[in-house]
Amino acid sequence: MTENTQQQTAPTTELPTQYAPAEVEGPLYERWVERGYFEADAKSEKPPYTIVIPPPNVTGSLHLGHAFEHTLIDALTRRKRMQGFETLWQPGMDHAGIATQNVVERELAKEGKSRHDLGREAFVERVWQWKAESGGQISGQMKRLGDGVAWSRERFTMDEGLSQAVQTIFKKLYDDELIYRAERIINWCPRCLTAISDIEVEYQDDDGELVSIRYGEGDDSLVVATTRAETMLGDTAVAVHPDDERYKHLIGRQIKLPLTDRTIPVVADTHVDPEFGTGAVKVTPAHDPNDFEIGQRHNLPNLAVMDERAIITAHGPFQGLDRLEARSAIVAALRAEGRIVAEKRPYTHSVGHCSRCKTTIEPRLSMQWWVKVGPLAQAAGDAVRDGKVKIHPQEMEKRYFDWVDNLHDWCISRQLWWGHRIPVWYGPDGEVVCVGPDEQPPTGEGWHQDTDVLDTWFSSGLWPFSTLGWPERTESLEKFYPNSVLVTGYDILFFWVARMMMFGLYAMDGTPPFHTIALHGMVRDQNGKKMSKSFGNVVNPLDWMDTYGSDAVRFTLARGANPGVDVPIGEDWVQASSKFANKIWNATRFALMNGATVEGELPDPSEMSATDRWILSRLNKTVAEVDAFYDDYQFSKLSDALYHFAWDEVFDWYVELSKTTFFAGGEGARVSGRVLGEVLDVMLRLLHPVVPFVTETLWTTLTGGESVVIADWPKDSGFRDAAAEQEIALVQRVITEVRRFRKEQGLQDAQKVPARLALEGTTLAAHEAAIRQILRLQPEGEGFSATASLPVAGATVALDLSGTIDVEAERKRLAKDLAAAEKEKAQAEAKLGNEAFLAKAPDNVVDKIKGRLAKADEDIARIQTQLATLPQA
C-alpha cells in the first residue's frame, strides 16, 4: 500500500515494558549525529531544501519560544529528508552586540573593573574568552530537543567568513551611496551608552506628570504641555497650525523662553494638530524625532542640553543634574515664576525603555551611520507583491507592506566595542575612506578607524547567504540559496525578516533569500498570558523535557501551532502528550507481541476482512491529509490528525476489533498481523518528524530498518474502500450506543452482561464476536430475560440486566434527577416568559437562560428513556 525501500534486517519484538525517554533520547541523538544523517552535501543531485535557524543570541538559553520554533523547523526538515531532498537546516548563533557586552561588563564589575580599565583590544579578547567558556550553551539544549541541524556547518556572526561578508556588503552599499553618515535623532540608552534599534525598545505605561507652561507675556503668550519639562532648555521654537486663528498674530514673532535669556520664534507647521491640547507645541529638535523634522523644515538650530548619560549640560542652575532631577527642579522654578498653568499628576503614558537594562530611552541627536532603505525596501515589497516570495498566513502580508512601504532610513551604528567595527577610516585632513575586505586601510599619522560597530541586525540580515560562503560563489551557495522557507515569529517580521529581504535581493542579484515566509505566533501560558519573569509564569522547557521527555514537549508545541496565532501551553497539556507517547509505545509493543509484522507482501484486499480494508483506507486518507497540512504549514491540524488516527482509529478501534482474529489464529490472524504491521510502519513514519525519539525506537524494532530518519516518507497509494468504512462505522455506532447505555445504567466497564444480538441481514453479523468481546456481552443462557432492548444501526441488542443492577435504587436515583431537571426547566421557562425581565436583561443573559432550557429538555428526554429501559419490578 505504501513504499519503504530502506534496507531492512530481521525485526525484533523485544521492547521494554515501559517507555523511558531519559534513557532513549540522548543515545539516539548521538547516533543520528555520528551517522551524519543531518549533514548536507552540496554535491548531491537530490533537490535542495534549506532552512536557516533564526540565530539565537550567544548569551541565550533554550526557552519555550526557541523550543516551539525549532520543533516546527525540525518537523519540516525531517519530512523533506524522508521525501528524498538534500536538506540543510543551517545552525548558528548571533554575537548579540549589546547583550553580550553587558554580560561581560557585569562580569568585570564583580572584579571592580570596567571595560575602560582593559581598553578596547583587551576587552574584545575578554568577550571572545567568555564566548569560548560560557557562550553557546543553547547548542547542547538544541540537541536535547532533537534538532536535526547540520552541526558541521555551524556559524557565528563574528566568524572570519561572516565578517568578510559584512565588510563586503558595507563597502558595496557605501559605493552605491546607500550608506551615509548624518546627524539624526536616534534611540539612546544613557546606561548602555549606545544607540539602539527600535526592536530593542520596550514600551510600557509609566506614571509621570503633564505640566502646562505659559511661554511669553500678556497677549503675546501661549501655553504648551509637556511630560519632559527638562527639555524646554533646548527649545528653539513653538509651533502652531498655520490655520489656527488663535495664534495667527504670533506666527513669525519672537517670544520669551522661560528660565533662559533666549527668545524663540513661533512657527507655522501643519504637523501640529490644532484640536489637541492648546494647539501649540514646544519644539526641541535635538531631543525629539518629530521636533527634529519640524526643525529641518524651518531651519531651526539643534540645541542639545543633555550629554550621553542624560546629564543636563545647559548653562545655568540646572547644569550637572540628572534629567529626572532636572525635571523636578525646572517645574519648581517655573511654578515659582507663576508659569505653571496646570499640572496633572500622576499622568500615565507610554515610555520607551532599553530592553537590556530597562533604562528609560532618551531621543538624542547624534552623528550616526545610516542605510538609505528606500530602493532596498521597494525591492523587498515588490518581491512579495510579484509573488516571488509568499507570506504565510497570507493575511500577514498587509502588516509586511505597512512596514516596508513606510520604512525610515536605518541607523546601523552602535557605540559599542563588541561587534563588527565599521570599516571606515578618517584622515588628518577630513578624508573618509571605506575599506573593503581585500583592501589595505590607510596608514600614517592622523589616520584612525571609526570607533562604532554595526547593529547586530546588519550581520544577521546576511544570514541566509553569508552562512553559505558569500561573497564567494561556493558550491553550497549555488546549491542551497535561496532558502526554501523561513520559519519565524511574526514579532520580528519587521526587523530581521525585512532586513534579510532587503540584503538578499541586493546582494544576490534580485534573488530573494527564501521562497516562503511562514510566520508563527508567540508561546503564552495556559491562560493566554504573555510569559514574563515579572508574572512568574516563565517555563524552562528543559524541566518539562526532564519530566515528560522531549517528544511530549514537541508534540504539545506542534499541536498548538496555528499559522500566525499565539500558542497557549500548560504543563497538563505536556503531560497529556506524554501519555500519547506512552500509548504509542504500549500499543506497538502489544501489536508486536500479537503478530504485527512488515515481513512479506501486503495481502490482496480480497483476502482481508472489512476491518483490515477499513484501516488501510483510513491510513491512506490520513497520509493525504497530513501531506496537505504540511504543505500549508498547518502543524496543529496535522498533529491532531495523527493523534486521532493513532489513538482513536488504530489503537482504540482497529486493535480492539481485531483481537478476536488474533486470538483465533490461522490465516485471518496472519493477514491482520501483516495489515497491522503496515499501519504501524506508515503511522510511525508519519509521526516521526514531530515525535522523533519514540518513533525511532519503535520503527527500528518493528521493521529492522537502520533508522526512520532516513526512511521513505509514506505515499498515499490511492487505496480507498468506502464500503468497508461504512460497515465499520455501523459497528462503531453499535458499540458506542451500547457503551453509553451501560454507563447510564451504572454498569462497570468490565462487568459482563448476557445479551442477544439480532444482527442477521446486516453487515454487522460478521463482527458479532468482536462486538461481544469489546462490550463484555455474554451469550444468552438459560433463563435469559430481555429486560432492555436497544435498536441501533438496523440491528437490535437485547440485554438482561436482572441481577446486574439494583433496579429500585436506580429508579429512585433517576426519579430524583428527573425532578431536578424539570425544576430547572420550569425556572428557565418562567424567566423567558417574563416580559419585564426580557426587556431589561442583556442578550448574553437571555441566551444563557435559553441554553439552560435546552439542556433541561435534553436531560429530561434522556432520563425518561433510561427509566423506560429499566426492568420492571
Side-chain angles (χ1 to χ4, degrees):
M1 310 306 294
T2 55
E3 297 179 8
N4 181 20
T5 58
Q6 182 177 318
Q7 185 175 354
Q8 299 171 344
T9 59
T12 174
T13 58
E14 294 181 7
L15 280 174
T17 55
Q18 292 191 347
Y19 178 50
E23 298 174 12
V24 169
E25 293 175 352
L28 274 186
Y29 190 85
E30 290 304 316
R31 190 185 312 157
W32 291 336
V33 173
E34 287 169 6
R35 293 178 177 178
Y37 293 155
F38 304 142
E39 295 303 323
D41 182 3
K43 299 181 184 297
S44 169
E45 294 184 1
K46 297 178 182 178
Y49 186 80
T50 316
I51 297 181
V52 293
I53 191 173
N57 287 353
V58 67
T59 58
S61 60
L62 191 74
H63 56 64
L64 267 180
H66 289 129
F68 172 54
E69 188 167 77
H70 291 199
T71 294
L72 306 187
I73 298 174
D74 196 39
L76 290 173
T77 52
R78 284 179 183 269
R79 172 178 175 251
K80 285 296 182 181
R81 185 180 296 112
M82 295 172 75
Q83 286 182 317
F85 285 78
E86 191 64 32
T87 59
L88 168 60
W89 182 8
Q90 173 66 54
M93 285 179 289
D94 192 281
H95 65 279
I98 192 169
T100 307
Q101 180 157 319
N102 280 347
V103 167
V104 178
E105 285 195 85
R106 283 196 294 268
E107 293 295 314
L108 284 174
K110 294 175 185 176
E111 304 170 14
K113 298 178 182 178
S114 74
R115 60 181 163 122
H116 300 284
D117 294 325
L118 272 67
R120 183 166 193 148
E121 248 183 74
F123 176 77
V124 170
E125 183 58 37
R126 180 69 177 261
V127 180
W128 277 109
Q129 180 184 337
W130 173 87
K131 192 255 181 187
E133 295 173 357
S134 307
Q137 61 174 309
I138 200 169
S139 295
Q141 296 165 345
M142 287 166 58
K143 295 175 182 178
R144 282 284 313 278
L145 187 64
D147 286 3
V149 300
W151 287 112
S152 69
R153 291 172 173 266
E154 187 175 12
R155 303 305 299 269
F156 180 55
T157 50
M158 290 281 286
D159 283 351
E160 182 179 347
L162 272 65
S163 295
Q164 183 183 29
V166 168
Q167 198 171 351
T168 299
I169 201 161
F170 188 100
K171 171 71 171 173
K172 179 174 170 58
L173 288 163
Y174 183 87
D175 290 345
D176 288 345
E177 298 184 349
L178 292 173
I179 279 184
Y180 63 95
R181 194 168 183 245
E183 196 174 42
R184 300 276 182 84
I185 294 283
I186 44 87
N187 300 310
W188 181 265
C189 177
R191 153 61 181 77
C192 298
L193 299 180
T194 181
I196 64 174
S197 67
D198 291 337
I199 197 172
E200 292 165 321
V201 179
E202 293 180 348
Y203 288 90
Q204 65 184 50
D205 289 338
D206 287 357
D207 285 340
E209 61 180 349
L210 180 69
V211 293
S212 298
I213 309 168
R214 180 170 51 84
Y215 284 23
E217 307 293 341
D219 292 339
D220 291 346
S221 68
L222 37 68
V223 175
V224 300
T226 182
T227 59
R228 302 172 69 226
E230 70 279 9
T231 64
M232 69 165 290
L233 300 175
D235 287 357
T236 55
V238 172
V240 298
H241 194 277
D243 299 329
D244 194 332
E245 293 293 337
R246 294 171 293 177
Y247 305 119
K248 276 197 171 182
H249 68 290
L250 290 176
I251 295 173
R253 296 177 59 179
Q254 297 281 323
I255 60 171
K256 178 78 164 53
L257 178 65
L259 305 183
T260 72
D261 296 327
R262 294 190 292 118
T263 61
I264 56 177
V266 177
V267 299
D269 198 285
T270 54
H271 170 76
V272 180
D273 181 0
E275 303 298 323
F276 184 77
T278 64
V281 297
K282 60 191 287 298
V283 182
T284 320
H287 294 279
D288 183 276
N290 293 321
D291 292 2
F292 179 78
E293 298 296 331
I294 293 175
Q296 292 291 99
R297 287 193 289 272
H298 298 277
N299 296 314
L300 299 175
N302 300 317
L303 183 58
V305 295
M306 278 182 248
D307 67 11
E308 69 275 8
R309 298 183 184 273
I311 303 298
I312 300 298
T313 58
H315 293 294
F318 311 109
Q319 186 174 7
L321 294 179
D322 170 83
R323 55 183 166 167
L324 299 182
E325 296 172 334
R327 183 177 300 172
S328 299
I330 287 171
V331 170
L334 289 167
R335 191 183 297 114
E337 289 191 5
R339 291 196 171 272
I340 299 295
V341 176
E343 296 180 70
K344 186 174 182 180
R345 188 184 297 112
Y347 177 73
T348 303
H349 60 133
S350 182
V351 178
H353 296 259
C354 174
S355 63
R356 304 299 176 187
C357 68
K358 310 308 176 187
T359 302
T360 300
I361 290 302
E362 190 64 41
R364 185 168 189 259
L365 185 65
S366 178
M367 183 66 76
Q368 302 285 345
W369 285 95
W370 303 81
V371 171
K372 188 184 296 182
V373 300
L376 302 175
Q378 176 70 42
D382 289 345
V384 175
R385 271 185 279 265
D386 298 344
K388 289 181 181 177
V389 178
K390 297 187 183 303
I391 294 180
H392 187 88
Q394 192 173 1
E395 53 265 27
M396 286 286 182
E397 281 188 3
K398 182 179 184 303
R399 295 180 66 177
Y400 177 79
F401 292 135
D402 286 346
W403 179 257
V404 298
D405 293 346
N406 297 283
L407 268 179
H408 298 295
D409 285 0
W410 170 21
C411 175
I412 56 172
S413 45
R414 299 290 180 267
Q415 290 65 55
L416 303 171
W417 287 357
W418 172 246
H420 294 281
R421 196 163 172 181
I422 289 177
V424 171
W425 271 255
Y426 305 104
D429 298 319
E431 302 96 332
V432 179
V433 177
C434 180
V435 177
D438 300 320
E439 299 171 349
Q440 290 296 320
T443 57
E445 187 176 350
W447 282 94
H448 64 280
Q449 187 178 358
D450 196 300
T451 57
D452 288 352
V453 300
L454 287 162
D455 177 12
T456 300
W457 297 100
F458 190 95
S459 51
S460 61
L462 314 181
W463 191 249
F465 51 94
S466 65
T467 52
L468 297 174
W470 187 90
E472 300 299 323
R473 282 285 171 180
T474 64
E475 285 184 321
S476 290
L477 188 66
E478 295 292 336
K479 177 74 175 180
F480 295 113
Y481 187 91
N483 284 200
S484 306
V485 61
L486 173 74
V487 179
T488 192
Y490 63 69
D491 58 324
I492 56 174
L493 171 65
F494 315 130
F495 306 103
W496 187 46
V497 178
R499 280 141 176 66
M500 285 191 291
M501 285 286 282
M502 290 191 295
F503 281 166
L505 289 159
Y506 175 74
M508 298 299 294
D509 302 320
T511 302
F514 17 74
H515 298 300
T516 301
I517 302 168
L519 298 170
H520 59 71
M522 304 296 101
V523 178
R524 297 180 176 271
D525 70 13
Q526 64 267 35
N527 300 313
K529 194 173 184 179
K530 180 181 178 181
M531 288 193 176
S532 165
K533 290 180 181 177
S534 60
F535 296 153
N537 61 351
V538 173
V539 173
N540 182 349
L542 296 173
D543 293 339
W544 281 351
M545 289 183 213
D546 290 340
T547 305
Y548 303 108
S550 298
D551 282 336
V553 174
R554 289 171 62 115
F555 192 73
T556 304
L557 291 166
R559 203 172 179 192
N562 289 300
V565 179
D566 288 346
V567 182
I569 184 173
E571 186 169 3
D572 53 340
W573 302 338
V574 183
Q575 189 175 19
S577 295
S578 175
K579 290 179 179 177
F580 178 53
N582 285 322
K583 179 75 170 181
I584 299 170
W585 181 275
N586 293 332
T588 303
R589 184 172 178 272
F590 170 85
L592 287 169
M593 293 169 61
N594 286 275
T597 180
V598 295
E599 294 181 337
E601 292 295 321
L602 195 64
D604 188 83
S606 63
E607 302 176 52
M608 300 177 188
S609 67
T611 308
D612 294 334
R613 297 195 305 276
W614 164 74
I615 196 62
L616 289 175
S617 183
R618 290 296 309 130
L619 174 68
N620 280 283
K621 282 186 177 179
T622 301
V623 171
E625 279 183 358
V626 169
D627 273 333
F629 289 143
Y630 261 117
D631 292 341
D632 199 34
Y633 304 100
Q634 298 279 358
F635 296 97
S636 176
K637 290 182 178 179
L638 72 89
S639 299
D640 257 353
L642 288 169
Y643 176 89
H644 289 296
F645 176 73
W647 194 306
D648 300 345
E649 297 186 300
V650 178
F651 303 141
D652 279 0
W653 283 112
Y654 180 74
V655 170
E656 291 300 317
L657 288 170
S658 300
K659 278 183 178 178
T660 54
T661 301
F662 287 130
F663 296 160
E667 183 62 14
R670 185 194 69 78
V671 171
S672 292
R674 181 63 187 89
V675 169
L676 181 53
E678 179 77 6
V679 171
L680 291 176
D681 172 19
V682 174
M683 183 193 75
L684 292 170
R685 283 186 276 148
L686 288 174
L687 281 165
H688 173 72
V690 181
V691 284
F693 294 108
V694 67
T695 52
E696 171 79 342
T697 305
L698 295 175
W699 187 86
T700 52
T701 301
L702 170 71
T703 67
E706 179 185 337
S707 172
V708 71
V709 176
I710 53 172
D712 292 334
W713 181 252
K715 295 179 181 177
D716 175 12
S717 71
F719 178 80
R720 303 288 189 273
D721 193 322
E725 292 200 39
Q726 185 178 10
E727 183 172 329
I728 300 305
L730 292 177
V731 176
Q732 291 172 323
R733 184 178 163 194
V734 170
I735 293 172
T736 301
E737 289 295 325
V738 176
R739 273 178 173 164
R740 182 182 296 116
F741 177 77
R742 286 177 58 111
K743 185 177 182 181
E744 289 171 351
Q745 300 304 319
L747 298 176
Q748 298 298 315
D749 289 342
Q751 192 170 351
K752 295 180 179 180
V753 179
R756 176 187 300 141
L757 274 59
L759 309 177
E760 296 77 11
T762 72
T763 56
L764 295 167
H767 304 277
E768 179 169 352
I771 293 171
R772 283 188 177 277
Q773 178 176 318
I774 292 171
L775 293 172
R776 305 293 193 271
L777 300 180
Q778 293 178 317
E780 54 184 297
E782 187 175 346
F784 176 83
S785 175
T787 58
S789 183
L790 301 176
V792 57
T796 302
V797 179
L799 305 172
D800 183 355
L801 301 180
S802 58
T804 59
I805 60 172
D806 184 336
V807 176
E808 190 56 36
E810 185 66 10
R811 193 180 299 281
K812 287 180 180 178
R813 184 186 71 80
L814 290 172
K816 184 178 179 181
D817 290 348
L818 180 61
E822 288 174 337
K823 181 180 179 181
E824 174 74 3
K825 178 180 179 179
Q827 290 175 343
E829 287 179 334
K831 285 191 175 183
L832 293 174
N834 185 334
E835 294 295 335
F837 170 78
L838 293 176
K840 295 180 181 179
D843 290 344
N844 65 315
V845 173
V846 175
D847 289 342
K848 187 175 181 180
I849 295 169
K850 287 179 179 179
R852 284 169 49 192
L853 177 59
K855 176 68 166 53
D857 282 333
E858 289 177 9
D859 289 345
I860 290 168
R862 174 179 54 80
I863 296 168
Q864 287 175 338
T865 300
Q866 289 177 249
L867 282 166
T869 56
L870 281 175
Q872 296 300 312

